[in-house]
Amino acid sequence: DAGITQSPRYKITETGRQVTLMCHQTWSHSYMFWYRQDLGHGLRLIYYSAAADITDKGEVPDGYVVSRSKTENFPLTLESATRSQTSVYFCASSDRRERIPRSGANVLTFGAGSRLTVL
Amino acid sequence: AQSVTQPDIHITVSEGASLELRCNYSYGATPYLFWYVQSPGQGLQLLLKYFSGDTLVQGIKGFEAEFKRSQSSFNLRKPSVHWSDAAEYFCAVGLLNTGNQFYFGTGTSLTVIP
C-alpha cells in the first residue's frame, strides 16, 4: 500500500527493555521525522533525516537512536525504555519538492502513530 | 521564549454553527504557518498552509485561516461545522533558517453536538 506506515501500532514493554518502532514510506520522500505526542505538549520532534545515512537531533532526542540505511525506512529505537517515554509516536515524511524556500521547513505527511506504554 | 499557543484546550460547538480556533505565535520574523487535523486514532492531516501573499488561505474540508501579523495570529475558521469535523486540531509554525523543525501548539479538541 502506498503511503507511510508505522509498526507496531500498539506496544507495551517494561522499563529497561529495548524497543524499536518502524516507519516505512513508499513515496521516496527525502525527509523523514519522528515526533512524540504528549498531553499538554503537542508534538515534539525527536529526530529527523534529510536523506539516507543523514540524521539529526530534534528537540527531545535523549534516550532515542535512529538510523536510515534506506530512503524508505526510518526506525526509532529506545535502547533502554523508561516510563517517561510512554507516549504516542508519529513518523512523518516530506518530499523535497514541498520544501519551503529559505526556511527548510517542510510540509509533513504523517503516519497513523504508534502508542507505546512503558511499565 | 519562542512558542505556539492554542489557548483553547477544548471547544464544543453545535452542528451547523460557525467555528474559530485560535493560534498565536511568538517569533520575531514571519513564520510559515500550518493547521493540521487529527481524527481519533489517526495521524495528522494537513488542512492548510500559509507561506506568503494573501493572508486569507483556503484549505480542505471547507476550512480557512487568516494570518494577522499585527496580532501574531493564524486562526482557523469554518462557517458551518459538520459532525465529522470532531477531531484534534494543531497549529504549527516553521521558521526561516531553522532546518526542518516545526513547532506545534498543544492542540484544540473539538466536540460537535447534534
Side-chain angles (χ1 to χ4, degrees), chain B residues 35-46:
Chain B
W35 274 99
Y36 282 85
V37 60
Q38 182 182 26
S39 298
Q42 302 297 313
L44 280 75
Q45 180 184 20
L46 181 69

Side-chain angles (χ1 to χ4, degrees), chain A residues 29-42:
Chain A
H29 282 176
S30 299
Y31 294 90
M32 296 188 75
F33 307 80
W34 275 107
Y35 286 85
R36 59 177 292 173
Q37 181 180 26
D38 303 291
L39 195 63
H41 290 278

Side-chain angles (χ1 to χ4, degrees), chain A residues 67-84:
Chain A
S67 62
R68 193 157 178 218
S69 57
K70 294 183 178 181
T71 299
E72 61 267 29
N73 297 324
F74 191 39
L76 176 73
T77 298
L78 291 67
E79 293 190 306
S80 179
T82 65
R83 290 197 180 94
S84 65

Side-chain angles (χ1 to χ4, degrees), chain A:
Chain A
D1 290 340
I4 183 166
T5 56
Q6 295 183 231
S7 62
R9 292 292 311 280
Y10 303 91
K11 176 74 176 178
I12 299 175
T13 190
E14 295 177 338
T15 301
R17 292 192 178 268
Q18 183 179 81
V19 177
T20 295
L21 304 179
M22 303 300 295
C23 180
H24 175 79
Q25 51 103 356
T26 59
W27 296 303
S28 298
H29 282 176
S30 299
Y31 294 90
M32 296 188 75
F33 307 80
W34 275 107
Y35 286 85
R36 59 177 292 173
Q37 181 180 26
D38 303 291
L39 195 63
H41 290 278
L43 278 82
R44 292 179 291 175
L45 182 64
I46 305 170
Y47 269 96
Y48 67 97
S49 168
D53 297 321
I54 300 174
T55 63
D56 207 347
K57 297 178 180 179
E59 182 184 358
V60 288
D62 293 343
Y64 303 95
V65 175
V66 293
S67 62
R68 193 157 178 218
S69 57
K70 294 183 178 181
T71 299
E72 61 267 29
N73 297 324
F74 191 39
L76 176 73
T77 298
L78 291 67
E79 293 190 306
S80 179
T82 65
R83 290 197 180 94
S84 65
Q85 293 176 309
T86 292
S87 186
V88 180
Y89 292 85
F90 285 98
C91 179
S93 70
S94 179
D95 190 350
R96 186 179 296 275
R97 287 174 294 178
E98 290 287 342
R99 190 175 190 207
I100 302 168
R102 295 180 291 134
S103 79
N106 296 276
V107 176
L108 302 173
T109 302
F110 285 84
S114 295
R115 183 177 293 276
L116 175 66
T117 301
V118 182
L119 302 177

Side-chain angles (χ1 to χ4, degrees), chain B residues 11-24:
Chain B
I11 285 181
T12 299
V13 299
S14 298
E15 191 168 14
S18 63
L19 172 70
E20 182 169 27
L21 303 182
R22 295 182 290 167
C23 174
N24 294 92

